[in-house]
Amino acid sequence: MGGKITIIGSGAWGTAMAKVLAEKEKEVVLWCLEEAAAAEINTQHRNTRFLPGVELPPHLRGVTDVVKAAEGAEFLILASPSLYLLDTVKKILPVHSIREGETAIAVITKGFLPSPKGPRLILETLEDYLPGFYRQSLVYIAGPSHAEEVARGKITGLIAASENPKNSIRFRDLLRSGRLLVFSSFDVRGVQVAAAAKNVIAIAFGMLDALKTAPPESAHPLGTMFGDGTESLLLAAGLNEIQTLGRAMGATHPETFTSISGVGDLDVTCRSVFGRNRRFGREIIEKNILKPFSCLDELLARIGEIGYLPEGVAAAKYVKILSEKHKLKMPISLGLYHILNRETEPDEFLKEFLHDLA
């Protein structure tokens, strides 16, 4: 496996993945949307906007031409945010090595994608646009991971899920190192649902955590009722919702939700200080960050004003639609949707949620 590897998307996770692969003496190209980001990677060997404090291998190349970046790649990993993923993929469809199915493609983006038929999983959506070679051959990579830790060599576990066992193993072997443990799975749908829906739960978790840890002078009366056990209660109930949605959307292995791609990913997303969705939930309480937005759609349209991208915002909208489509009871996810849509206040939601559990 000495061929070219391309990462599409120079955010924190894409950059961390590129660093890990470049450290294995691979030829790695990292596509950047902005010229300044590519120039910084090539001259200073850093990506200070998305991965500050991390030095990148000197032979890792940043480029801004997405077609040239993808052309001739043996492996291509899509890391663009879900809001922009499909538009990015459409740009690389003319690439010869993709038209001929010569490039193995994996996705590390988390979320759902919109379609005329409603929200869909990422891989099934991409299969409608990519050449037929890629049907049931794409690989989805997820697990309890944060770019900031992976880039610093912290031991991390990932799942490489595909309906094509050979491709799952190829990406498993490509990524695996002494500190990055990668396991294969055939439950492509279950792993994708877990990766997307956990971000919704993490926003709710962040709100609860902010109320729980508020200083006495600004503490909300409800916060005095919350402790570590309350957070575990929310996490466990959230996992049940994720599993409920996963089964409805075709998950094939129950253990997906009790493994690292399910409970593992949910736990780290809710509890880690690196979690953007947890941070967003906390800032809903601490900074009233939703105040400038009248509804969820306006929040999505102006999401750049937040300064970072909490993927759970879009996922909350799509999970609501999916839960209604499949007639599922998902009170945490639905409650968070109502908060983001400015229909209810966080303390009202949490009070009602805990009351319903009693």
Side-chain angles (χ1 to χ4, degrees):
M1 286 189 292
K4 173 183 173 183
I5 303 166
T6 295
I7 314 291
I8 301 294
S10 62
W13 194 209
T15 303
M17 193 68 75
K19 178 180 185 288
V20 168
L21 290 166
E23 287 176 339
K24 297 175 71 174
E25 301 302 319
K26 305 291 185 182
E27 179 195 353
V28 182
V29 172
L30 180 61
W31 175 72
C32 310
L33 180 63
E34 299 171 342
E35 184 69 47
E40 184 184 33
I41 290 169
N42 293 332
T43 59
Q44 301 179 40
H45 313 302
R46 293 185 179 276
N47 185 349
T48 53
R49 178 180 177 187
F50 293 109
L51 204 58
V54 173
E55 186 171 349
L56 304 175
H59 59 281
L60 171 61
R61 290 190 294 125
V63 301
T64 56
D65 187 324
V66 70
V67 172
K68 288 184 179 178
E71 185 62 70
E74 181 181 0
F75 294 95
L76 186 141
I77 298 176
L78 295 165
S80 297
S82 60
L83 289 171
Y84 317 113
L85 180 62
L86 190 53
D87 287 340
T88 303
V89 169
K90 289 177 181 178
K91 293 176 182 176
I92 61 175
L93 292 178
V95 171
H96 179 269
S97 53
I98 292 176
R99 289 203 318 268
E100 298 300 321
E102 297 168 356
T103 299
I105 299 178
V107 181
I108 59 176
T109 301
K110 296 176 173 123
F112 300 98
L113 296 182
S115 80
K117 298 179 180 179
R120 301 179 70 196
L121 296 173
I122 288 177
L123 294 198
E124 67 178 354
T125 306
L126 297 187
E127 285 179 349
D128 285 347
Y129 289 88
L130 291 165
F133 304 107
Y134 292 101
R135 191 163 297 278
Q136 298 182 321
S137 291
L138 297 173
V139 180
Y140 191 78
I141 298 168
S145 53
H146 282 297
E148 295 83 354
E149 292 189 342
V150 171
R152 290 173 171 82
K154 305 297 184 183
I155 295 174
T156 300
L158 296 174
I159 294 288
S162 179
E163 295 177 76
N164 183 318
K166 179 181 177 181
N167 282 352
S168 172
I169 292 169
R170 289 179 72 192
F171 275 97
R172 181 196 70 186
D173 293 346
L174 175 74
L175 297 172
R176 181 180 283 176
S177 67
R179 298 186 183 183
L180 192 59
L181 313 177
V182 187
F183 307 90
S184 292
S185 170
F186 302 134
D187 189 5
V188 181
R189 288 181 166 270
V191 173
Q192 288 181 90
V193 171
K198 53 96 179 180
N199 287 329
V200 179
I201 306 302
I203 295 178
F205 189 98
M207 292 189 303
L208 189 153
D209 192 54
L211 289 168
K212 184 192 90 168
T213 59
E217 63 272 14
S218 61
H220 188 283
L222 196 60
T224 61
M225 300 168 55
F226 298 156
D228 294 345
T230 321
E231 291 185 334
S232 292
L233 175 65
L234 179 66
L235 191 149
L239 180 63
N240 284 339
E241 291 192 11
I242 294 170
Q243 189 165 9
T244 296
L245 181 61
R247 286 198 301 264
M249 296 189 70
T252 57
H253 294 64
E255 59 268 26
T256 293
F257 302 98
T258 56
S259 75
I260 63 173
S261 60
V263 66
D265 203 359
L266 175 63
D267 179 71
V268 77
T269 305
C270 287
R271 298 188 187 278
S272 174
V273 296
F274 296 120
R276 292 188 300 273
N277 294 283
R278 175 184 183 270
R279 173 185 171 184
F280 185 71
R282 288 188 61 89
E283 291 184 350
I284 290 174
I285 302 297
E286 296 171 337
K287 298 183 178 181
N288 197 14
I289 201 169
L290 295 179
K291 185 177 181 180
F293 310 102
S294 63
C295 63
L296 193 150
D297 284 337
E298 184 182 356
L299 172 59
L300 284 171
R302 297 165 52 196
I303 198 72
E305 296 176 24
I306 300 297
Y308 58 94
L309 184 59
E311 294 270 13
V313 173
K317 176 179 179 178
Y318 297 142
V319 167
K320 174 184 181 291
I321 296 170
L322 290 166
S323 67
E324 291 174 346
K325 174 183 177 181
H326 295 286
K327 298 180 173 56
L328 307 175
K329 186 178 180 181
M330 301 180 66
I332 301 175
S333 302
L334 184 60
L336 181 69
Y337 169 84
H338 289 313
I339 291 170
L340 298 180
N341 206 37
R342 306 304 306 276
E343 299 173 37
T344 189
E345 294 299 319
D347 56 344
E348 295 173 5
F349 153 66
L350 289 169
K351 191 186 304 181
E352 184 177 338
F353 167 68
L354 295 172
H355 178 267
D356 288 345
L357 287 179

